[in-house]
């Protein structure tokens, strides 16, 4: 009886003897060493499903961990269409890395029990770079302050005059400093004195405050404080290969791929021509962003339609808003050229690339964003009533942790100040730990959907028919069983970086090819992206654009085994065999 139960339990697991997959913690952000250990645990627990490698080292000596997930038993990774996912391109956006890790954990944990996950790893490949900037993440965790991508000085190696944000009172957070100034632009808000509101244009003689980021002033002359300069302006997203147009050389680095992290990632992607789609995980905004980024960037019609379907599904699953990056930009900002990862991944490589911006604290606090541009909030223009809602939300939902109460501190340069204000790093850029898992989980479902929508080259039939004494006609019928076309994007075709579907007949010794080239090109096979919403309607003459065939006339004795291979870099590889004279299967 006990043996039977045990067997049943093993059968239920679907992978007899498999070690459990170590859980991903959601109550803190993994330090680099903890991340390294966890990734090794995962790859050791599922060696047939995941391979862990380092694609490079950071200047501070940390590995750039890169995972390849696929069922090795059904074929090598590069022979399957692929989705690549990355997290932590931006150091402070910890939740993006958590989302990438959640996806990996889900695939490893649910393989064998979840039909879609199993089908995904049996037929597709998933690449994941969970932490693009391990140096940057470690620095933000150590210092509790905002760092764009990494704490390497750029554009100037020398510190410039102005306030340098730092945790000066040693509480692990870098927030704000306020101090009284008869000509200060702020005053306390009567309904909640923690908040500051602008002093009115005609107002004088009150209790006014000046506000600065918490930090030390470089080159302080005792009177004036320069505007905060960008000390670590490097943005990895702007360091991808791109035409930089007239962009000021500020955030993009000295030249495209100058940063070792980006050079390694770009090379890893370029060496994997099977990549069809890409998602980069960021915070915040609650958005699923697609190209174009700049005015004048081309988005061919077939890609526009596919992007719309795919991003809408992402928005539906996550509750986020789907829009183009260009539509997110407002006013005069729209006119300038902005380098981004889309510029290389989509415009040049023709990869369906998406940006997910997880988490919107405003929505969480019950603030209506109707009739508001996302960027309005970003730059700090909003009614004080909304800010009060945010404060109440922090008090109620976060136990007050979202706003650091103003506390007196003797600043070595400014004298007595108060340090406090919204903790933007923990609750604005990041998802509160209590809701981290639920915030990222629906996104992993979308990634599964996205990967399953990629093209998939399959063999429909491979059959032989006698056409004379010792002569046979071999016919191979191939089809695309995926949703996207075999070329993935139209952009990939326009950029001339995908080849045709290619079929090849292997000629065994003792046989002869009488007619037909042993290797043939069959063009591209459509998927189902052009499908209408209704079937029996006028003008519907779709044909079979998902299907093609190749014929060969061979001279060979009955019983000969022939092998045919169909392949295309973005649609995968399929192989079939037949025995001459045997009944077709
Ligand atoms: Zn970001």
């Amino acid at each position: 009886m006990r043996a039977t139960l045990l067997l049943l339990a093993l059968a239920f697991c679907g992978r007899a003897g498999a070690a459990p997959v170590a859980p991903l913690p959601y109550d803190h952000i993994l330090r680099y060493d903890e991340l390294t250990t966890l990734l090794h645990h995962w790859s050791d627990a599922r060696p047939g499903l995941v391979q862990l490698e380092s694609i490079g080292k950071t200047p501070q000596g940390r590995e750039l961990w890169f995972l390849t997930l696929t069922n090795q038993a059904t074929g090598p990774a590069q022979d399957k269409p692929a989705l690549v996912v990355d997290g932590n391109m931006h150091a402070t956006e910890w939740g993006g890395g958590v989302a990438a890790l959640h996806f990996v954990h889900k695939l490893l944990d649910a393989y064998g029990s979840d039909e879609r996950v199993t089908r995904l790893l049996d037929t597709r490949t998933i690449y994941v770079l969970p932490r693009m900037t391990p140096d940057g993440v470690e620095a933000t965790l150590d210092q509790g302050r905002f760092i764009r991508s990494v704490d390497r000085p750029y554009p100037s190696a020398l510190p410039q005059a102005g306030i340098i944000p730092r945790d000066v009172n040693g509480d692990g957070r870098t927030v704000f400093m306020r101090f009284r100034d008869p000509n200060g632009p702020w005053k306390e808000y009567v309904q909640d004195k923690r908040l500051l509101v602008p002093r009115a244009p005609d107002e004088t003689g009150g209790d006014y405050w000046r506000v600065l980021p918490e930090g030390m002033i470089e080159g302080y002359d005792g009177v004036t404080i320069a505007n905060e300069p960008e000390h670590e302006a490097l943005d990895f997203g702007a360091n991808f290969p791109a035409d930089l147009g007239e962009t000021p050389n500020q955030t993009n680095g000295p030249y495209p791929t100058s940063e070792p992290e980006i050079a390694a990632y770009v090379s890893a992607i370029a060496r994997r021509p099977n990549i069809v789609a890409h998602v980069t995980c960021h915070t915040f905004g609650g958005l699923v962003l697609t190209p174009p980024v700049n005015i004048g960037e081309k988005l061919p019609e077939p890609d526009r339609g596919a992007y719309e379907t795919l991003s809408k599904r992402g928005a539906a699953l996550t509750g986020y808003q789907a829009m183009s990056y260009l539509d997110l930009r407002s006013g005069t900002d729209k006119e300038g050229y902005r380098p981004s990862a889309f510029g290389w991944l989509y415009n040049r490589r023709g990869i369906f690339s998406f940006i997910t911006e997880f988490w919107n604290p405003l929505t969480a606090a019950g603030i209506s964003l109707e009739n508001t541009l996302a960027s309005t909030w970003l730059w700090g223009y909003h009614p004080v009533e909304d800010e009060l809602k945010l404060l109440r939300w922090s008090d109620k939902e976060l136990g007050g942790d979202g706003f650091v109460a103003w506390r007196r501190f003797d600043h070595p340069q400014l004298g007595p100040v108060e340090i406090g204000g919204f903790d933007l790093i923990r609750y604005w850029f990041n998802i509160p730990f209590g809701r981290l898992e639920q915030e990222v989980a629906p996104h992993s479902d979308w990634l599964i959907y996205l990967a399953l929508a990629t093209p998939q080259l399959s063999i429909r039939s491979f059959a032989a028919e006698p056409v004379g004494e010792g002569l046979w006609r071999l016919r191979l019928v191939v089809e695309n069983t995926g949703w996207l076309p075999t070329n993935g994007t139209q952009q990939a075709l326009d950029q001339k970086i995908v080849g045709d579907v290619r079929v090849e007949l292997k000629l065994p010794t003792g046989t002869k090819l009488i007619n037909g080239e042993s290797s043939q090109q069959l063009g591209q096979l459509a998927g189902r992206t052009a499908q209408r919403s209704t079937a029996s309607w006028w003008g519907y003459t779709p044909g079979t654009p998902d299907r093609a065939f190749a014929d060969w006339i061979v001279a060979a004795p009955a019983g000969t085994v022939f092998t045919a291979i169909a392949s295309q870099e973005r649609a995968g590889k399929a192989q079939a065999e037949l025995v001459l004279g045997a009944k077709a299967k």
Side-chain angles (χ1 to χ4, degrees), residues 90 93 282-283 357:
H90 294 141
E93 302 170 12
H282 295 241
T283 56
E357 295 283 356

Side-chain angles (χ1 to χ4, degrees), residues 89-91 93 148 235 280-284 355-357:
M89 178 190 287
H90 294 141
E93 302 170 12
R148 171 61 70 194
D235 184 339
T280 180
C281 302
H282 295 241
T283 56
F284 60 90
I355 302 172
T356 303
E357 295 283 356

Side-chain angles (χ1 to χ4, degrees), residues 65 164 166 186 190 303 386:
W65 295 122
I164 305 209
R166 287 288 181 279
W186 301 100
V190 283
D303 294 357
D386 283 355

Side-chain angles (χ1 to χ4, degrees), residues 393-465:
W393 170 72
S394 161
D395 290 343
K396 195 163 163 269
E397 303 290 327
L398 309 175
D401 203 43
F403 191 99
V404 180
W406 298 104
R407 226 173 353 150
R408 293 181 69 101
F409 179 73
D410 209 16
H411 192 276
Q413 293 169 305
L414 297 167
V417 299
E418 291 181 9
I419 292 177
F422 279 112
D423 187 343
L424 302 179
I425 303 300
R426 294 197 202 182
Y427 298 109
W428 192 270
F429 282 101
N430 281 295
I431 308 158
F433 290 121
R435 53 192 296 168
L436 182 51
E437 186 177 6
Q438 73 185 68
E439 189 78 24
V440 299
H443 189 260
S444 293
D445 289 336
W446 179 55
L447 295 177
I448 293 166
Y449 160 94
L450 197 56
L452 287 174
T454 57
Q456 177 99 82
L457 193 57
S458 305
I459 289 174
R460 188 177 174 90
S461 61
F462 184 34
E465 192 184 313

